[in-house]
Amino acid sequence: MDYKDLANAIFPDAKDITYYEEKYPERNLKEGAIVTRFAPSPTGFVHIGGLYQSLIARKLANQTEGVFLLRIEDTDQKREVENGITDIVQSLDRFGIEPDEGMISETEGKGNYGPYRQSMRKEIYQSYAKYLIEQGKAYPCFCTPEELEEMRAKQEAAKIRPGYYGVWAKCRNITVEEAIEKINNGENYIVRFKSPGREDRKIKHHDVIKGNVDFPENDQDIVIIKADGLPTYHFAHAVDDHLMRTTHVIRGDEWLSSVPLHLQLFHELGFKPPKYAHIAPIMKNDNGNKRKLSKRKDPEAAVSYYDEMGIPKEAVNEYLLNIANSNFENWRRANKDKSIDEFELQLNKMSVSGALFDMVKLLDVGKTVISKFTAEEVYENAFNWAKTYDKELEEMLQDKQYALKIFGIERGNKKPRKDIAKWSDVKENIEYMYDEKFFAKEQEYPYQVIHEKEDVDKILDLYMEKYYNENDDKQQWFDKIKELAGELGYAKEVKEYKANPDAYKAHVGDVSTVLRVALTGRTNTPDMYEIMQVLGKESMKKRFEVAKKK
Ligand code: GLU
């Protein structure tokens, strides 16, 4: 009896690997095309780091006319949640990331290199495991969990490296006959890789992001097929990325230390290894300590957070590119209006250690991004967000024409307003433009330089009676405020006031502030001329009356 008999005893029905080699041929892509993938487990949580990786992968595939695919790694079925795949697909979609191939729902995929869900690829892994067994490069292991635990305890007590290797790899030396007999007797087993490595030898590896790294060779006989017949991550990675013809494995750097094992698996399987690019995690400054963004502690670690807050996808994507390549910022400065699709992302410019996540900066990007939206785009986004997250805002936005007027204030010009960073800012930002909201609230009226009731009332009355005309253009409107100031003894120009401060009580700017505060309850608003246009004379009159009663 030989290895072939052993392989047949374990996987009697597995196909010959040539079947799969032919079924999934080399891809016919142009030179330099990057085939890469995002390979999450469907655990019900999409981490911002996963979005970051996908964005990078999507972009590189676009830049090189390659392929970006979504593979679902669900071999650890204990960790799975219902609708976990749909959640991933939808999360990527919400950020405008559409894979060329891969899963599109819980059960369906698209593309010729599938199935793209590992639990549906069981037979494929078993064929390759069989292939390894036939060559004496893998073997069944009958050790029980108790035996393995005992081994681990011994290793720990003797302070030696833990694991299944060398003299510790008990089942490595079981004869084929003995193994077949145990199998026939119904003993439980898993399949292990027979590592040809030695710990005292080093391998050199070039990582696209981390650069040159040295590692000891792998000498662990890792499990490749578990008791449930499914592969471990390591084995599935080698088989899948080979058969899917991945050129670049872009993944989190927690996998960097597995590279010696992975290269060994590729080698023993007779596969050409891919290039590896290990991305450093996104970090957070936690009271001066830099640590990974944590699923448990940080709400912003979940991509769902950005939806909930209404941070536009354009801002998140732009911010992530900012983190990815430090030259992005300069590029943006030089190309203010270009789409991020035109930025040439480079893997080898990614930072080796983790970049810090900065919410303030992200919101700042959000302000700039939204400032470039048309009123119609702001409306659509805010309305869509409100439908899910804010009923009151949804209600306010029912009157689309009125909302468009508000969002149109100071928009579309050279220096557009930059007061909205996220859709959850909108309500607070536009509330005062709605009479029913404005009057429902007890307003504070934070008058500034001119604040005596008598002075304020005079300005409001005179302005309404004599100076306000809704048909005035902006210049006429402003001239009238100056006249009003002049009539009441304030300086008509700020310059005049500065040249001779003792001659005046205040200046035209202070008069404007009175009008602004009375109208809106705020000292800071977008362009007051436009606000008045949108509010209309009736609302203004009412607002002044209410202000005067305070
Ligand atoms: N399922 C693995 C993870 O979520 C994928 C790593 C990889 O991209 O190969 O970490």
Side-chain angles (χ1 to χ4, degrees), residues 83-150:
N83 293 325
I85 302 180
T86 310
D87 191 40
I88 293 167
V89 171
Q90 286 177 350
S91 295
L92 294 185
D93 186 61
R94 277 200 297 276
F95 287 89
I97 297 176
E98 196 196 327
D100 303 302
E101 292 176 15
M103 295 308 285
I104 55 172
S105 71
E106 289 305 305
T107 49
E108 294 158 290
K110 63 170 182 185
N112 296 329
Y113 288 78
Y116 296 92
R117 179 177 176 176
Q118 290 182 329
S119 59
M120 292 159 85
R121 299 170 64 78
K122 202 167 175 174
E123 290 167 15
I124 305 179
Y125 305 119
Q126 296 191 349
S127 283
Y128 283 87
K130 182 174 187 179
Y131 169 75
L132 287 180
I133 298 169
E134 281 168 358
Q135 297 173 76
K137 293 178 177 174
Y139 60 90
C141 169
F142 302 91
C143 290
T144 61
E146 294 73 34
E147 283 174 302
L148 293 174
E149 179 48 38
E150 204 179 301

Coordinates of all heavy atoms in Angstrom, one line a residue, residues 83-150:
N83 N -27.4 36.5 7.2 CA -27.3 37.6 6.3 C -25.9 38.3 6.4 O -25.8 39.5 6.0 CB -28.4 38.6 6.5 CG -29.7 38.1 6.2 OD1 -29.8 37.3 5.2 ND2 -30.7 38.4 6.9
G84 N -24.9 37.6 6.8 CA -23.6 38.2 6.9 C -23.0 38.6 5.6 O -22.3 39.6 5.4
I85 N -23.3 37.8 4.6 CA -22.8 38.1 3.2 C -23.5 39.3 2.6 O -22.9 40.2 2.1 CB -22.9 36.8 2.3 CG1 -22.2 35.7 2.9 CG2 -22.4 37.2 0.9 CD1 -22.2 34.4 2.1
T86 N -24.8 39.3 2.7 CA -25.6 40.4 2.2 C -25.1 41.7 2.9 O -25.0 42.7 2.2 CB -27.1 40.2 2.5 OG1 -27.5 38.9 2.1 CG2 -28.0 41.2 1.8
D87 N -24.8 41.6 4.1 CA -24.4 42.8 4.8 C -23.0 43.3 4.2 O -22.9 44.5 4.1 CB -24.2 42.4 6.3 CG -23.9 43.6 7.2 OD1 -24.6 44.6 7.0 OD2 -23.1 43.5 8.1
I88 N -22.2 42.4 3.9 CA -20.9 42.8 3.3 C -21.1 43.4 1.9 O -20.6 44.5 1.6 CB -19.9 41.6 3.3 CG1 -19.5 41.2 4.7 CG2 -18.7 41.9 2.4 CD1 -18.9 39.8 4.7
V89 N -21.9 42.7 1.1 CA -22.1 43.2 -0.2 C -22.7 44.6 -0.2 O -22.3 45.5 -0.9 CB -23.1 42.2 -1.0 CG1 -23.5 42.8 -2.3 CG2 -22.4 40.9 -1.2
Q90 N -23.7 44.8 0.7 CA -24.4 46.1 0.8 C -23.5 47.2 1.3 O -23.6 48.3 0.9 CB -25.7 46.0 1.6 CG -26.8 45.2 0.8 CD -28.0 45.0 1.7 OE1 -28.0 45.3 2.9 NE2 -29.1 44.5 1.0
S91 N -22.7 46.8 2.3 CA -21.8 47.8 2.8 C -20.8 48.3 1.8 O -20.6 49.5 1.6 CB -20.9 47.2 4.0 OG -21.8 46.8 5.0
L92 N -20.3 47.4 1.0 CA -19.4 47.8 -0.1 C -20.1 48.7 -1.1 O -19.6 49.7 -1.5 CB -18.7 46.6 -0.8 CG -17.8 45.8 0.0 CD1 -17.1 44.7 -0.9 CD2 -16.7 46.6 0.7
D93 N -21.3 48.2 -1.4 CA -22.1 48.9 -2.4 C -22.4 50.4 -1.9 O -22.4 51.3 -2.7 CB -23.4 48.2 -2.6 CG -24.2 48.8 -3.7 OD1 -23.7 48.8 -4.9 OD2 -25.4 49.2 -3.5
R94 N -22.7 50.5 -0.7 CA -23.0 51.9 -0.2 C -21.8 52.8 -0.3 O -22.0 54.0 -0.4 CB -23.4 51.8 1.3 CG -24.9 51.4 1.5 CD -25.4 51.9 2.8 NE -24.7 51.2 3.9 CZ -25.0 50.0 4.3 NH1 -26.1 49.3 3.8 NH2 -24.4 49.4 5.3
F95 N -20.6 52.3 -0.4 CA -19.5 53.1 -0.5 C -19.0 53.1 -2.0 O -17.9 53.5 -2.3 CB -18.4 52.7 0.4 CG -18.7 53.1 1.8 CD1 -19.4 52.3 2.7 CD2 -18.4 54.4 2.3 CE1 -19.8 52.7 3.9 CE2 -18.7 54.8 3.6 CZ -19.4 53.9 4.4
G96 N -19.9 52.6 -2.9 CA -19.6 52.7 -4.3 C -18.6 51.7 -4.7 O -17.9 51.9 -5.8
I97 N -18.4 50.6 -4.0 CA -17.4 49.7 -4.3 C -18.0 48.4 -4.9 O -18.7 47.7 -4.1 CB -16.4 49.3 -3.1 CG1 -15.7 50.6 -2.7 CG2 -15.5 48.2 -3.5 CD1 -14.9 50.4 -1.5
E98 N -17.9 48.2 -6.2 CA -18.5 47.0 -6.8 C -17.5 46.1 -7.3 O -16.7 46.4 -8.2 CB -19.4 47.5 -7.9 CG -20.4 46.4 -8.3 CD -21.1 46.6 -9.6 OE1 -21.3 47.8 -10.0 OE2 -21.3 45.6 -10.3
P99 N -17.5 44.9 -6.7 CA -16.5 43.9 -7.2 C -16.8 43.4 -8.6 O -18.0 43.5 -9.0 CB -16.6 42.7 -6.2 CG -17.3 43.3 -5.0 CD -18.2 44.4 -5.5
D100 N -15.8 43.0 -9.4 CA -16.1 42.5 -10.7 C -16.6 41.1 -10.6 O -17.4 40.6 -11.5 CB -14.8 42.5 -11.5 CG -14.1 43.8 -11.6 OD1 -14.8 44.7 -12.1 OD2 -13.0 44.0 -11.1
E101 N -16.2 40.4 -9.6 CA -16.6 39.0 -9.5 C -16.8 38.7 -8.0 O -16.3 39.4 -7.1 CB -15.4 38.0 -9.9 CG -15.1 38.0 -11.3 CD -13.9 37.1 -11.7 OE1 -13.5 36.3 -10.8 OE2 -13.4 37.3 -12.8
G102 N -17.6 37.7 -7.7 CA -17.7 37.3 -6.3 C -19.1 37.2 -5.9 O -20.0 37.3 -6.7
M103 N -19.3 37.1 -4.6 CA -20.7 36.9 -4.1 C -21.5 38.2 -4.2 O -21.0 39.3 -4.1 CB -20.6 36.6 -2.6 CG -20.0 35.2 -2.3 SD -20.7 33.9 -3.2 CE -22.2 33.6 -2.4
I104 N -22.7 38.1 -4.6 CA -23.6 39.2 -4.7 C -24.8 39.1 -3.8 O -25.6 40.0 -3.6 CB -24.1 39.4 -6.2 CG1 -24.8 38.2 -6.7 CG2 -23.0 39.8 -7.1 CD1 -25.4 38.4 -8.1
S105 N -25.0 37.9 -3.2 CA -26.0 37.8 -2.1 C -25.6 36.6 -1.3 O -24.4 36.1 -1.4 CB -27.4 37.5 -2.8 OG -27.4 36.2 -3.3
E106 N -26.4 36.1 -0.4 CA -26.0 35.0 0.5 C -25.6 33.8 -0.3 O -24.7 33.1 0.1 CB -27.2 34.6 1.4 CG -27.5 35.6 2.5 CD -26.4 36.0 3.4 OE1 -25.7 35.1 4.0 OE2 -26.1 37.2 3.5
T107 N -26.2 33.5 -1.4 CA -26.0 32.3 -2.1 C -25.5 32.4 -3.5 O -24.9 31.5 -4.1 CB -27.3 31.5 -2.2 OG1 -28.3 32.3 -2.7 CG2 -27.7 30.9 -0.8
E108 N -25.7 33.6 -4.1 CA -25.3 33.8 -5.5 C -24.0 34.5 -5.7 O -23.7 35.4 -4.9 CB -26.3 34.6 -6.3 CG -27.6 33.9 -6.5 CD -28.7 35.0 -6.7 OE1 -29.0 35.8 -5.8 OE2 -29.1 35.0 -7.9
G109 N -23.3 34.1 -6.8 CA -22.0 34.8 -7.1 C -22.1 35.2 -8.6 O -22.9 34.7 -9.3
K110 N -21.1 36.0 -9.0 CA -21.0 36.2 -10.4 C -19.5 36.1 -10.8 O -18.6 36.4 -10.0 CB -21.5 37.6 -10.9 CG -20.8 38.8 -10.2 CD -21.2 40.1 -10.9 CE -20.4 41.2 -10.2 NZ -20.7 42.6 -10.7
G111 N -19.2 35.6 -12.0 CA -17.9 35.4 -12.4 C -17.5 33.9 -12.7 O -18.3 33.0 -12.3
N112 N -16.5 33.7 -13.5 CA -16.1 32.4 -13.9 C -15.1 31.6 -13.0 O -14.7 30.5 -13.3 CB -15.5 32.4 -15.3 CG -16.5 33.0 -16.3 OD1 -17.7 32.7 -16.1 ND2 -16.0 33.7 -17.3
Y113 N -14.8 32.3 -11.9 CA -13.8 31.6 -11.0 C -14.4 31.2 -9.7 O -13.7 31.0 -8.7 CB -12.6 32.5 -10.9 CG -11.7 32.6 -12.1 CD1 -12.1 33.4 -13.2 CD2 -10.6 31.8 -12.3 CE1 -11.4 33.4 -14.4 CE2 -9.8 31.9 -13.5 CZ -10.3 32.6 -14.5 OH -9.5 32.7 -15.7
G114 N -15.7 31.0 -9.7 CA -16.4 30.7 -8.4 C -16.5 29.2 -8.2 O -15.9 28.5 -9.0
P115 N -17.2 28.7 -7.2 CA -17.9 29.6 -6.3 C -17.0 30.5 -5.5 O -15.8 30.1 -5.2 CB -18.6 28.6 -5.3 CG -18.4 27.2 -5.9 CD -17.4 27.3 -6.9
Y116 N -17.6 31.6 -5.0 CA -16.8 32.6 -4.3 C -17.0 32.5 -2.8 O -16.8 33.5 -2.1 CB -17.0 34.0 -4.9 CG -16.6 34.1 -6.3 CD1 -17.5 33.9 -7.3 CD2 -15.3 34.4 -6.6 CE1 -17.1 34.0 -8.7 CE2 -14.9 34.5 -7.9 CZ -15.8 34.3 -9.0 OH -15.4 34.4 -10.3
R117 N -17.6 31.4 -2.4 CA -17.9 31.3 -1.0 C -17.3 30.0 -0.6 O -17.6 28.9 -1.1 CB -19.4 31.2 -0.8 CG -19.9 31.0 0.6 CD -21.4 31.1 0.6 NE -21.8 30.8 2.0 CZ -23.0 30.8 2.5 NH1 -24.0 31.1 1.6 NH2 -23.3 30.5 3.7
Q118 N -16.4 30.0 0.4 CA -15.5 28.9 0.7 C -16.3 27.6 1.1 O -15.9 26.5 0.7 CB -14.5 29.2 1.7 CG -13.4 30.2 1.2 CD -12.3 30.6 2.1 OE1 -12.5 30.6 3.3 NE2 -11.1 30.9 1.6
S119 N -17.4 27.8 1.8 CA -18.1 26.6 2.2 C -18.7 25.9 1.0 O -19.1 24.7 1.1 CB -19.2 27.0 3.2 OG -20.1 27.9 2.6
M120 N -18.8 26.6 -0.2 CA -19.3 25.9 -1.4 C -18.1 25.3 -2.2 O -18.3 24.8 -3.3 CB -20.0 26.9 -2.2 CG -21.3 27.4 -1.6 SD -21.9 29.0 -2.3 CE -22.8 28.4 -3.7
R121 N -16.9 25.4 -1.7 CA -15.7 24.9 -2.4 C -15.1 23.7 -1.8 O -14.0 23.3 -2.1 CB -14.7 26.0 -2.5 CG -15.2 27.3 -3.2 CD -14.3 28.5 -3.1 NE -13.0 28.3 -3.7 CZ -12.7 28.3 -5.0 NH1 -13.7 28.6 -5.8 NH2 -11.5 28.1 -5.5
K122 N -15.9 23.0 -0.9 CA -15.3 21.9 -0.2 C -14.6 20.9 -1.0 O -13.5 20.5 -0.8 CB -16.5 21.3 0.6 CG -16.2 20.5 1.8 CD -17.5 20.2 2.5 CE -17.3 19.2 3.7 NZ -18.5 19.1 4.5
E123 N -15.3 20.5 -2.1 CA -14.7 19.5 -3.0 C -13.4 19.9 -3.6 O -12.5 19.1 -3.8 CB -15.7 19.2 -4.2 CG -16.9 18.5 -3.7 CD -18.0 18.5 -4.8 OE1 -17.6 18.8 -6.0 OE2 -19.1 18.2 -4.5
I124 N -13.3 21.2 -3.9 CA -12.1 21.7 -4.5 C -10.9 21.5 -3.5 O -9.8 21.0 -3.9 CB -12.2 23.2 -4.9 CG1 -13.4 23.4 -5.8 CG2 -10.9 23.7 -5.6 CD1 -13.6 24.8 -6.3
Y125 N -11.1 21.9 -2.3 CA -10.0 21.8 -1.3 C -9.7 20.4 -1.1 O -8.5 20.0 -0.9 CB -10.5 22.4 0.0 CG -10.9 23.8 0.0 CD1 -12.2 24.2 0.3 CD2 -10.1 24.8 -0.5 CE1 -12.7 25.5 0.2 CE2 -10.5 26.2 -0.6 CZ -11.8 26.5 -0.3 OH -12.3 27.8 -0.4
Q126 N -10.7 19.5 -1.1 CA -10.4 18.1 -0.8 C -9.6 17.5 -2.0 O -8.7 16.7 -1.8 CB -11.7 17.4 -0.6 CG -12.4 17.9 0.6 CD -13.6 17.1 1.1 OE1 -14.1 16.2 0.4 NE2 -14.0 17.3 2.3
S127 N -9.8 18.0 -3.2 CA -9.0 17.5 -4.3 C -7.5 17.8 -4.1 O -6.6 17.0 -4.4 CB -9.5 18.1 -5.6 OG -10.6 17.5 -6.1
Y128 N -7.3 19.1 -3.7 CA -5.9 19.5 -3.5 C -5.3 18.8 -2.3 O -4.1 18.5 -2.3 CB -5.8 21.0 -3.5 CG -5.9 21.6 -4.9 CD1 -7.2 21.8 -5.4 CD2 -4.8 21.8 -5.7 CE1 -7.3 22.3 -6.7 CE2 -4.9 22.2 -7.0 CZ -6.2 22.5 -7.5 OH -6.3 22.9 -8.8
A129 N -6.1 18.6 -1.3 CA -5.6 17.9 -0.1 C -5.2 16.4 -0.5 O -4.2 15.9 -0.1 CB -6.6 17.9 1.0
K130 N -6.1 15.9 -1.3 CA -5.8 14.5 -1.8 C -4.5 14.4 -2.6 O -3.7 13.5 -2.4 CB -7.0 14.0 -2.6 CG -6.8 12.6 -3.2 CD -8.1 12.2 -3.9 CE -8.0 10.7 -4.3 NZ -9.2 10.2 -5.0
Y131 N -4.3 15.5 -3.4 CA -3.1 15.6 -4.2 C -1.9 15.6 -3.3 O -0.9 14.9 -3.6 CB -3.3 16.8 -5.1 CG -2.0 17.3 -5.8 CD1 -1.6 16.6 -6.9 CD2 -1.3 18.4 -5.4 CE1 -0.5 17.0 -7.6 CE2 -0.2 18.8 -6.0 CZ 0.2 18.2 -7.2 OH 1.3 18.6 -7.8
L132 N -2.0 16.4 -2.2 CA -0.8 16.4 -1.3 C -0.6 15.1 -0.6 O 0.6 14.6 -0.5 CB -1.0 17.5 -0.3 CG -0.9 19.0 -0.7 CD1 -1.1 19.9 0.5 CD2 0.5 19.3 -1.3
I133 N -1.7 14.4 -0.2 CA -1.5 13.1 0.5 C -0.9 12.1 -0.5 O 0.0 11.4 -0.1 CB -2.9 12.6 1.0 CG1 -3.5 13.6 2.0 CG2 -2.7 11.2 1.6 CD1 -4.9 13.3 2.3
E134 N -1.3 12.2 -1.7 CA -0.8 11.2 -2.7 C 0.8 11.3 -2.8 O 1.4 10.4 -3.1 CB -1.4 11.5 -4.1 CG -2.8 10.9 -4.3 CD -3.4 11.5 -5.6 OE1 -2.8 12.3 -6.3 OE2 -4.6 11.0 -5.8
Q135 N 1.2 12.6 -2.6 CA 2.7 12.8 -2.7 C 3.4 12.7 -1.4 O 4.6 13.0 -1.3 CB 2.9 14.1 -3.3 CG 2.4 14.2 -4.7 CD 2.6 15.6 -5.2 OE1 3.7 16.1 -5.5 NE2 1.5 16.4 -5.1
G136 N 2.7 12.3 -0.4 CA 3.3 12.2 0.9 C 3.6 13.6 1.5 O 4.4 13.7 2.4
K137 N 2.8 14.6 1.1 CA 3.0 15.9 1.6 C 2.0 16.4 2.6 O 1.9 17.5 3.1 CB 3.1 16.9 0.5 CG 4.3 16.8 -0.4 CD 4.3 17.8 -1.6 CE 5.5 17.7 -2.4 NZ 5.4 18.5 -3.6
A138 N 1.1 15.4 2.9 CA 0.0 15.7 3.9 C -0.4 14.3 4.4 O -0.2 13.3 3.8 CB -1.2 16.4 3.2
Y139 N -1.0 14.3 5.6 CA -1.3 13.0 6.2 C -2.4 13.2 7.2 O -2.7 14.3 7.7 CB 0.0 12.5 6.9 CG 0.5 13.4 8.0 CD1 0.1 13.3 9.3 CD2 1.5 14.4 7.7 CE1 0.6 14.1 10.3 CE2 1.9 15.2 8.7 CZ 1.5 15.1 10.0 OH 2.0 15.9 11.0
P140 N -3.1 12.1 7.5 CA -4.2 12.2 8.5 C -3.6 12.2 9.9 O -2.5 11.5 10.2 CB -5.0 10.9 8.3 CG -4.0 9.9 7.7 CD -3.0 10.8 6.9
C141 N -4.2 13.0 10.8 CA -3.7 13.0 12.2 C -4.8 12.6 13.1 O -6.0 13.1 13.0 CB -3.3 14.5 12.5 SG -3.0 14.8 14.2
F142 N -4.5 11.6 13.9 CA -5.6 11.0 14.8 C -5.5 11.5 16.2 O -6.2 11.0 17.1 CB -5.4 9.5 14.7 CG -5.5 8.9 13.3 CD1 -4.4 8.8 12.5 CD2 -6.8 8.6 12.8 CE1 -4.5 8.2 11.3 CE2 -6.9 8.1 11.5 CZ -5.7 7.9 10.7
C143 N -4.6 12.5 16.4 CA -4.5 13.0 17.8 C -5.8 13.5 18.3 O -6.5 14.3 17.6 CB -3.4 14.1 17.9 SG -1.8 13.5 17.6
T144 N -6.2 13.2 19.5 CA -7.4 13.7 20.1 C -7.1 15.1 20.7 O -6.0 15.5 21.0 CB -7.9 12.8 21.2 OG1 -6.9 12.8 22.3 CG2 -8.2 11.4 20.7
P145 N -8.2 15.9 20.9 CA -8.0 17.2 21.5 C -7.2 17.1 22.9 O -6.4 17.9 23.2 CB -9.4 17.7 21.8 CG -10.2 17.0 20.7 CD -9.6 15.7 20.5
E146 N -7.5 16.0 23.6 CA -6.8 15.8 24.9 C -5.3 15.6 24.7 O -4.5 16.1 25.4 CB -7.4 14.6 25.7 CG -8.9 14.8 26.1 CD -9.9 14.7 25.0 OE1 -9.6 13.9 24.0 OE2 -10.9 15.4 25.0
E147 N -5.0 14.8 23.7 CA -3.6 14.5 23.4 C -2.9 15.8 23.1 O -1.7 16.1 23.5 CB -3.4 13.5 22.3 CG -3.7 12.1 22.8 CD -3.7 11.1 21.6 OE1 -4.5 11.3 20.6 OE2 -2.9 10.2 21.6
L148 N -3.6 16.6 22.2 CA -2.9 17.9 21.8 C -2.8 18.8 23.0 O -1.8 19.5 23.1 CB -3.8 18.5 20.7 CG -3.9 17.8 19.4 CD1 -4.9 18.4 18.4 CD2 -2.5 17.7 18.7
E149 N -3.7 18.8 23.9 CA -3.7 19.7 25.0 C -2.5 19.2 25.9 O -1.7 20.1 26.4 CB -5.0 19.6 25.8 CG -5.1 20.4 27.1 CD -4.6 21.8 26.9 OE1 -4.9 22.5 25.8 OE2 -3.9 22.3 27.8
E150 N -2.4 18.0 26.1 CA -1.3 17.4 26.9 C 0.1 17.8 26.3 O 1.0 18.2 27.0 CB -1.4 15.9 26.8 CG -0.8 15.1 28.0 CD -1.0 13.6 27.8 OE1 -2.2 13.2 27.7 OE2 0.0 12.9 27.7

